[in-house]
Amino acid sequence: MRRQRRSSAPGLVAILVIAALLPSLIWAAPKSKPKANTPELWEMSLDGGRKLSWEHSFHSETEVKPNRGFWNKVVDVIAGAPDYRSLVRPYSIATDSHGRIIVTDPGAEGVHIFDFAQHKYKFIQRNDKSKDAMRTPQCVAVDAQDNIYVTDSDAGEIFVFEPSGKYLRAIGSLKGGEGYFKRPTGIAVDSAAQRIYVTDTLRDQVFVLNMEGHILQTIGKTGQADGEFNLPTELRLDGPNLLVVDAMNFRVQVFDRSGTFQYAIGKIGDSPGAMFRPKAIAVDSEGDLYLVDSLWGVVQVFNRQGELLYYFGTRGTHAGEFQLPEGLFIDQADHVYVVDAFNRRVQVFQYVGLKPPVREGAK
């Protein structure tokens, strides 16, 4: 009680400051509601009545939380606005069963979790730990329980977190603070089969692990032939298939989940349908493959025969424009998430196909 009585003077000062600010705040408020800025519009009409529409983009914690009220803004004037986190150099993206959007950010040395439905935000960071520090989070995947798996290309480990963001364990951690993998990049989790797939870009291999992190199998070796890799990056599970972005062979290779080669899509070039800097891959509800080409700033869409169906994107900062896009994810409702890295944002599109979005689970 004494502390409350002693602080009454500062409290009175704060009230007086607010009272002094009120006239200017009220005077500054417009008497009529201003017209909202015209939202950006972007839409593609596709063959057969299909459609791809731009919905919105986001880049900061501020966009998740509801608008701050008048009194919160007054407090911001007095005490300073909160320090909100924003995307710095986002790379990979995934969503969980609750629609939360998980974005790795090596520039911020952490992982953002955007929950627009619940107006919540979480940032996961471990760069201050003496053991198993997460330094360069690269790619992300979730399992059937919404646990979060993050590859770290610098630490050579895979970090596993609970849905809440609580740290669980590190896979590939060796004595001396080193990791087993040379450069782990892409990751996918098969919860039903209890398997984890991860690309080791510098080893030109895909590792198949059990859920404890023990190596069960390796897929591929250095080379250009079918089943061989040259700096593989991201990968994706799709039904019975494993899709691997074979970056410097300028293609996507498709395997079954046991590692048997099925077919490949792509060739080097700068014309539509060719690839120059492929980064990430995703699959829509109709089974078509979406591939980000970072250098050209486009997303190309192929069928399973390798035919280019269409592409979208160009260099720029407006809706449907990209600068060095990196990550890509398509959720169960055919929302297409593109990590627009140099623009420090994620752009969200909606694909509307001829079939309802029903897809075989990949987790």
Side-chain angles (χ1 to χ4, degrees):
M1 294 300 293
R2 292 198 195 102
R3 292 179 65 115
Q4 291 179 353
R5 282 197 290 269
R6 281 201 299 265
S7 63
S8 59
L12 179 59
V13 171
I15 292 171
L16 291 174
V17 171
I18 293 171
L21 287 171
L22 278 174
S24 60
L25 289 170
I26 293 171
W27 180 259
K31 295 182 180 180
S32 60
K33 187 176 180 180
K35 294 181 179 179
N37 292 330
T38 303
E40 290 194 90
L41 300 176
W42 185 97
E43 185 174 284
M44 286 184 69
S45 296
L46 307 171
D47 291 343
R50 296 174 174 87
K51 183 174 67 174
L52 184 72
S53 303
W54 183 85
E55 288 200 336
H56 64 99
S57 65
F58 63 91
H59 74 283
S60 169
E61 175 186 358
T62 59
E63 294 159 288
V64 179
K65 297 182 177 180
N67 293 331
R68 294 170 60 80
F70 173 79
W71 290 109
N72 284 328
K73 293 178 180 178
V74 170
V75 173
D76 291 348
V77 172
I78 300 169
D83 186 15
Y84 292 109
R85 288 192 178 272
S86 299
L87 299 177
V88 177
R89 185 162 50 89
Y91 187 84
S92 179
I93 188 167
T95 66
D96 66 11
S97 65
H98 298 285
R100 301 188 309 165
I101 304 169
I102 305 161
V103 183
T104 61
D105 192 340
E109 299 182 326
V111 179
H112 308 265
I113 303 177
F114 297 91
D115 188 346
F116 286 94
Q118 299 297 322
H119 303 295
K120 294 181 179 180
Y121 169 87
K122 179 80 175 180
F123 186 71
I124 304 174
Q125 198 169 32
R126 280 186 60 81
N127 59 357
D128 59 344
K129 304 298 180 183
S130 59
K131 185 178 185 301
D132 296 328
M134 186 171 68
R135 300 189 289 267
T136 311
Q138 201 76 21
C139 291
V140 62
V142 297
D143 64 18
Q145 289 73 45
D146 288 336
N147 294 309
I148 301 166
Y149 296 71
V150 179
T151 57
D152 189 316
S153 59
D154 185 25
E157 300 174 66
I158 301 167
F159 293 91
V160 187
F161 302 90
E162 292 181 351
S164 65
K166 180 181 178 181
Y167 172 73
L168 283 175
R169 58 198 171 99
I171 296 173
S173 176
L174 302 175
K175 292 181 179 179
E178 299 177 349
Y180 170 79
F181 303 102
K182 284 188 176 180
R183 187 178 177 85
T185 307
I187 187 166
V189 182
D190 183 348
S191 294
Q194 294 287 283
R195 296 290 183 268
I196 301 170
Y197 295 79
V198 58
T199 53
D200 194 323
T201 299
L202 295 183
R203 282 198 173 105
D204 293 323
Q205 287 184 315
V206 175
F207 285 81
V208 185
L209 318 172
N210 63 17
M211 301 306 284
E212 287 71 43
H214 301 132
I215 298 171
L216 304 176
Q217 179 188 356
T218 59
I219 301 171
K221 62 180 181 179
T222 304
Q224 298 177 339
D226 293 344
E228 297 176 347
F229 299 115
N230 186 5
L231 301 182
T233 54
E234 292 214 44
L235 51 74
R236 187 77 61 195
L237 291 173
D238 175 57
N241 295 323
L242 170 67
L243 317 177
V244 184
V245 178
D246 189 9
M248 295 310 295
N249 281 328
F250 313 102
R251 64 185 177 181
V252 173
Q253 295 199 65
V254 182
F255 303 82
D256 65 21
R257 295 205 185 192
S258 67
T260 302
F261 174 83
Q262 302 294 305
Y263 60 93
I265 292 174
K267 60 181 180 180
I268 186 172
D270 58 2
S271 60
M275 302 175 188
F276 193 79
R277 194 67 62 83
K279 281 288 187 176
I281 191 165
V283 182
D284 69 19
S285 63
E286 297 183 323
D288 293 327
L289 279 60
Y290 293 57
L291 185 74
V292 166
D293 194 305
S294 182
L295 186 63
W296 303 123
V298 300
V299 178
Q300 300 192 90
V301 184
F302 299 86
N303 62 19
R304 296 297 174 125
Q305 290 72 47
E307 299 171 329
L308 178 67
L309 302 177
Y310 65 95
Y311 65 92
F312 61 96
T314 185
R315 292 190 183 97
T317 60
H318 295 289
E321 298 177 347
F322 308 114
Q323 295 195 85
L324 297 180
E326 301 278 3
L328 180 68
F329 189 83
I330 301 178
D331 67 15
Q332 298 292 323
D334 272 344
H335 292 111
V336 181
Y337 301 86
V338 182
V339 177
D340 189 7
F342 195 75
N343 284 327
R344 299 185 178 187
R345 63 181 179 179
V346 173
Q347 296 197 58
V348 185
F349 302 81
Q350 176 68 68
Y351 173 69
V352 178
L354 300 183
K355 301 175 185 178
V358 176
R359 186 185 312 163
E360 183 177 351
K363 295 178 184 177

